[in-house]
């Protein structure tokens, strides 16, 4: 079969770090092999560093990013629990859907798509919800919300409310500081700024969330009590088999995290910032309008309006066919009026920014 | 990092087919890329061939094998539904646990571990259960059960009962014939006879099961209605985004299935049979006792009793340290008194059988 080589500049997956790809093809290990268990322990430790947490329960879940959202709700929400969700894009919408399936009484706080989360409105929605959910980096709109402020406000109010953060498109691209911000539960995906193929959901859970967890959730596969006994060992010390870990994907994540931490998180963030800044400047130079609210734009994922006289799908098809470049359509009601351009992980580079700008310039005839 | 090379002869993962490893490291594609969607369609078509089914809903689920069990129960069982489970090992036990979490009234039909499923007893357990679950190839005991006979008996009785088959350790190693046997739901894992790293759960669902499904299951990630709209297209025709597919793992499964079908399923089954036969003969020649009931032994996974004067863990450690060979401990109460030796997928070869026999002979001093 002829292999097809793409430059993946959509909302994910992005092209993996070379170390991540090499690790995928390394000799496979058993999921109970002492060498693999060492890699797993080190992966969890490296995840603690990028999450900015000491949480013991920090691990890669065996599914794609969405499984992290499901695990968070399944392990914390009981029927009738009030749950406040800040909705400013597709993934806030999805939080409402998933929380509802686990029986939560969902209180939506709707925002215009493209705007960041309004902390005051979220706080005003309910005096003491079981959980507040918000998206740090909305993959559907390219918007960054201030979760530090949300966490500080919740802590100031006091009470038992847990804070859940969707960090699918932020982790290892912009700063995430779970402990400093007072985030109790957070999940990500591997195929964005972490620079790994899709297939794992890095996850972290505070002691506070652990103490308030649902002890016997409907899901067996995502029962964090059972998974934790395999990943971190049980209270008695030993590891208990739960399900066969996706060893190749974990080895790949381990390698990518090694690369990221060797470069250093400040340098990784600056690389994302510089690439995104250049892309956003360049798009404006092309006469295009950025979609996300100014001052709240993610560097790693840029949203831009499709000009009124341009066929969105045709441009994307030409970029793919003529240049091998994938960019994303918009999400939801913006499917044909917004493009999403990601410069994430290994693609967070000035050359990628210039490449997509040059190709867009040619295809748009500007 | 120094790479460690193992011969994986436990109950899985096994060493992948070389084509599967190469595909993991191929350039990554986007999950909506037309080239990837072609690979996904072809993967589902190839899965239909190895499952022996025309089921439209045949797909790889985005998690390890256990997620297939969870998806099966989540999408078919409502609170209070009577569910009969044939328990003759660990994975039958797990079926009871998972079915119970989704609210089923579980009727267990317990067997001695090491024995195959007794069709008459399963039928006698309940006159009209919602679902009967059984394990085709018990990974914990190395036993094959006659699911053709179970399916035929259920069809003869008539009624609405669905048949669920755990084929984690059988698919692409011994014959599986979903349509001929009257199986309504079945799942497998990629890390056994399919010869791929762990991370996906091949799954198939009959029209009958689809018509009786739970329309709004508690799980969003495993809602087969939503997943089906992405994998096979919705009733309206188009594909709808659900979650980002694990593209590298799917490309790897696609490649392994290509290899298996190029060799031809009859030849693949004969290769597994020959390797297992030789291993089992050789173990008896070493003076060891096989565990699974005679006449019901899986060729791809052999269980053998640890001699009374031998330390099971020490032997496994020496095999790993001195020969790079991984074999498995027993499961459950047989953890230290049984070994499990797999010759699955790419390892279903006479040279692997001779290798593990030779190493065992040395380590046991026989």
């Amino acid at each position: 079969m002829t292999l097809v080589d793409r430059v993946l500049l959509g909302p994910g997956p992005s092209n993996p770090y070379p170390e991540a790809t090499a690790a995928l093809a390394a000799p496979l290990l058993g999921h109970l092999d002492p060498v693999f268990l060492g890699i797993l322990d080190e992966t969890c430790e490296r995840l603690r560093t990028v999450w900015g947490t000491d949480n013991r329960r920090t691990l890669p879940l065996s599914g794609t990013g969405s499984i992290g959202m499901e695990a968070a709700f399944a392990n914390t929400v009981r029927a009738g629990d009030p749950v406040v969700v800040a909705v400013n894009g597709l993934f806030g919408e999805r939080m409402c859907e998933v929380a509802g399936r686990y029986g939560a009484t969902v209180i939506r706080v709707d925002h215009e798509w493209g705007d960041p989360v309004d902390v005051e409105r979220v706080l005003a929605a309910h005096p003491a919800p079981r959980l507040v959910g918000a998206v740090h980096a909305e993959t559907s709109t390219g918007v960054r919300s201030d979760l530090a402020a949300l966490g500080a406000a919740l802590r100031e109010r006091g009470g038992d409310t847990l804070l859940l953060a969707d960090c699918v498109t932020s982790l290892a691209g912009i700063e995430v500081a779970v402990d400093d911000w007072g985030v109790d539960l957070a999940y990500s995906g591997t195929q964005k700024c972490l620079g790994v193929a899709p297939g794992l959901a890095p996850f972290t859970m505070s002691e506070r969330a652990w103490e308030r967890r649902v002890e016997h959730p409907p899901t067996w596969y995502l029962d964090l009590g059972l998974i934790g006994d395999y990943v971190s060992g049980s209270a008695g010390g030993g590891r208990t088999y739960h399900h066969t870990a996706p060893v190749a994907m974990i080895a790949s994540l381990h390698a990518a995290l090694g690369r990221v931490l060797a470069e250093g998180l400040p340098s990784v963030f600056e690389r994302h910032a510089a690439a995104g800044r250049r892309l956003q400047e360049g798009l404006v130079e092309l006469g295009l309008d950025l979609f996300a609210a100014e001052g709240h734009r993610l560097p790693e994922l840029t949203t831009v309006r499709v000009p009124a006289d341009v066929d969105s799908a045709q441009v994307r098809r030409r970029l793919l066919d003529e240049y091998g470049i994938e960019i994303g359509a918009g999400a939801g009601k913006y499917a044909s009026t917004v493009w999403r351009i990601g410069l994430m992980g290994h693609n967070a580079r000035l050359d990628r920014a210039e490449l997509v700008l040059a190709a867009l310039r040619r295809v748009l005839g500007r």
Side-chain angles (χ1 to χ4, degrees), chain A:
Chain A
M1 194 175 82
T2 306
L3 297 177
V4 174
D5 202 7
R6 303 290 201 203
V7 184
L8 298 174
L9 305 184
S14 60
N15 299 94
Y17 285 114
E19 292 85 347
T21 303
L24 268 180
L28 196 69
L29 296 170
H31 61 112
L32 300 172
D33 190 306
V35 175
F36 172 70
L37 293 174
I39 290 173
L40 178 60
D41 285 343
E42 206 166 67
T43 301
C44 295
E45 196 50 45
R46 290 174 181 182
L47 284 174
R48 284 183 194 97
T49 304
V50 297
W51 280 118
T53 187
D54 292 327
N55 287 339
R56 175 168 171 253
R57 291 173 187 84
T58 300
L59 69 161
L61 295 175
S62 305
T64 53
S66 308
I67 214 171
M69 185 191 292
E70 181 120 359
F73 286 110
N75 285 275
T76 55
V77 169
R78 294 170 182 81
D81 277 347
V83 166
V84 171
V85 179
V87 181
N88 66 334
L90 183 69
F91 293 92
E93 287 282 353
R94 184 174 297 173
M95 276 194 185
C96 298
E97 165 79 21
V98 175
R101 292 208 181 201
Y102 286 94
T105 301
V106 177
I107 301 123
R108 298 170 58 106
V109 182
D110 279 294
H111 299 67
E112 282 296 311
W113 282 35
D115 284 348
V117 169
D118 181 332
V119 171
E120 293 308 315
R121 289 183 54 222
V122 171
L123 250 71
H126 191 284
R130 167 124 200 117
L131 183 146
V132 167
V135 178
H136 184 213
E138 244 301 345
T139 315
S140 63
T141 64
V143 164
R144 179 204 315 235
S145 289
D146 187 351
L147 295 199
L150 179 59
L154 284 169
R155 271 184 298 182
E156 191 172 329
R157 184 162 76 178
D160 272 354
T161 303
L162 299 173
L163 176 57
L164 166 64
D166 177 321
C167 298
V168 169
T169 298
S170 58
L171 193 67
I174 58 176
E175 191 195 12
V176 174
V178 161
D179 289 358
D180 285 354
W181 298 353
V183 170
D184 295 293
L185 297 136
Y187 55 88
S188 188
T190 43
Q191 74 275 18
K192 316 270 183 173
C193 302
L194 283 165
V196 182
L200 296 174
F203 189 86
T204 189
M205 183 179 200
S206 68
E207 282 302 315
R208 232 173 128 247
W210 178 252
E211 285 158 13
R212 289 159 175 73
R213 77 188 184 280
V214 176
E215 291 234 12
H216 205 68
T219 168
W220 177 89
Y221 188 75
L222 293 176
D223 182 333
L224 290 169
L226 301 177
I227 296 171
D229 286 350
Y230 166 70
V231 175
S232 323
S234 64
R239 289 180 192 264
T240 312
Y241 164 70
H242 179 252
H243 66 270
T244 302
V247 286
M249 285 297 307
I250 290 172
S252 185
L253 173 59
H254 176 261
L257 287 166
R259 157 108 182 208
V260 162
L261 296 177
E263 181 178 345
L265 283 173
S267 163
V268 169
F269 297 155
E270 179 46 38
R271 181 161 54 76
H272 281 79
R277 197 161 47 230
R278 173 61 199 129
L279 174 62
Q280 290 168 13
E281 284 169 6
L283 291 169
V284 171
E285 286 162 17
L286 284 177
L288 300 174
D289 296 326
L290 299 178
F291 176 75
E294 190 162 3
H296 307 280
R297 291 173 186 151
L298 294 169
E300 68 271 32
L301 183 63
T302 295
T303 45
V304 57
R305 291 183 191 275
V306 179
D309 57 342
V310 167
D311 178 341
S312 163
Q314 193 188 21
V315 169
R316 288 188 292 110
R317 201 172 317 118
R318 283 192 58 194
L319 287 172
L320 197 67
D321 292 346
E322 297 173 24
Y323 299 89
I325 297 172
E326 177 177 279
I327 69 168
K333 64 180 168 181
Y334 297 102
S336 60
T337 55
V338 164
W339 289 313
R340 292 182 291 166
I341 307 177
L343 295 173
M344 302 190 284
H346 187 50
N347 287 340
R349 288 148 42 186
L350 291 177
D351 63 291
R352 299 296 204 203
E354 295 299 342
L355 171 64
V356 68
L357 286 168
L360 258 181
R361 181 188 298 273
R362 299 287 294 177
V363 170
L364 292 174
R366 298 202 170 201

